[in-house]
Every structure is written in C-alpha cells, then in structure tokens.
Amino acid sequence: MKKNVWKIILAVVILFAAYNIIWFAWSNIIYGKLSVGMKKGDFGSFAAPRYLYTDDGGYDYLVKYPDYPTFTGNMSVGSPTTEENVFTDALIIWPKISGGYDFGVLLYENDMEHAIYIDSEGNALSKEDEDIVSRHSDMIRDLLMKADKRWGIYD
C-alpha cells in the first residue's frame, strides 16, 4: 500500500514538472519570436512579461506572454492615438497551440467600446457585428496588414 502511494505522488510530481516545462518552453519559444526588437514593458510579470513597440506612424504593438498556467497570450496592434482621443481601434491576435491565430478587434464608436471576434480577412464572426465591422473595415484591414508586416501572421 505504501509503495502505491509513493508511485502516485511520484506520478503527480512528474506530471506537474512536465506541464511546467512544456508551458515555459512553449510560451518562451512562441512569444519570444514575436517580441524580437520590442522593449520589455514595466507592467508585466516575470512569468508573463509584456513587450511594446511604437512604429514611426504611431501604431502601438504589444506582445503579452501567457499568464501561468494558461497557454493564452496575445499580440495587439493599436491605431495611433491623439491627445483628444486616446481610445482608438485595435486588433488583438491570439496564437493557437495548434498553429494559426484567432482574431478580435476593439472598435470605438459613439464613446462605446465594442469587442468583436473577426476572421483573418477582417469579417465579423457574428452577424450582429457586421454593421460596425463594415464601418471600420478600412482600419481593420490596415491593422491586419500592420500585424502581418510585424509578425508574418499570413505566412
């Protein structure tokens, strides 16, 4: 009986260690590539840092490593802000473990924020969001092109 308890404890320890090694390796390999050339932000943590970059056109890029113990981090591209309007449209991209990406946008209209899932072409995934996505389609396409230029999301 004692031998079985030790086997169970050893199995749990091994599984815990394996999960941590896989999580650490995956997040650092995937997100390490995405954050090349970016400055480490002050608002991340040791396990889940955030990296920032602003291009010459004023577009803000962010890479957020996954929080422990999840595998969900993200990248984002925000359109340039102004002193009059710090809330501007942004694209959010979630790398999938299986490869590829999920996409969403934050769209601001009439002092309201709309968080909407889109496909890789910039189309709304929900019929109820099609109108607002259509009104912001030029900006969405611009953000998708910026993300592709920075991270090669269409490669």
Side-chain angles (χ1 to χ4, degrees):
M1 180 71 171
K2 240 182 186 182
K3 198 173 187 179
N4 287 339
V5 170
W6 282 111
K7 284 181 181 179
I8 292 171
I9 291 171
L10 182 61
V12 168
V13 168
I14 289 171
L15 288 173
F16 180 74
Y19 182 86
N20 282 282
I21 290 167
I22 291 167
W23 176 84
F24 185 79
W26 185 82
S27 65
N28 281 288
I29 290 169
I30 298 299
Y31 290 89
K33 290 180 204 172
L34 297 171
S35 60
V36 169
M38 301 176 84
K39 179 184 172 193
K40 189 171 185 178
D42 297 333
F43 49 92
S45 68
F46 171 75
R50 296 177 188 201
Y51 287 83
L52 309 162
Y53 172 76
T54 301
D55 70 13
D56 293 337
Y59 287 82
D60 293 317
Y61 299 79
L62 171 77
V63 172
K64 183 198 169 292
Y65 282 50
D67 289 317
Y68 181 82
T70 72
F71 285 88
T72 305
N74 65 60
M75 307 112 73
S76 66
V77 181
S79 59
T81 61
T82 64
E83 287 183 25
E84 300 83 36
N85 187 13
V86 295
F87 299 106
T88 59
D89 295 346
L91 170 69
I92 303 169
I93 306 165
W94 295 275
K96 297 192 284 189
I97 292 175
S98 59
Y101 304 95
D102 286 325
F103 299 89
V105 287
L106 294 176
L107 304 174
Y108 292 90
E109 196 171 83
N110 301 325
D111 294 328
M112 290 185 61
E113 177 183 88
H114 303 272
I116 300 169
Y117 288 106
I118 61 170
D119 63 18
S120 62
E121 302 296 315
N123 302 307
L125 294 184
S126 172
K127 194 142 183 79
E128 65 191 31
D129 296 321
E130 287 177 352
D131 286 340
I132 189 167
V133 167
S134 176
R135 290 191 297 275
H136 292 258
S137 63
D138 289 340
M139 178 56 72
I140 293 169
R141 274 193 300 278
D142 185 43
L143 294 171
L144 285 165
M145 287 189 310
K146 296 278 186 189
D148 185 46
K149 184 177 178 185
R150 178 88 189 149
W151 294 299
I153 61 173
Y154 294 120
D155 292 345

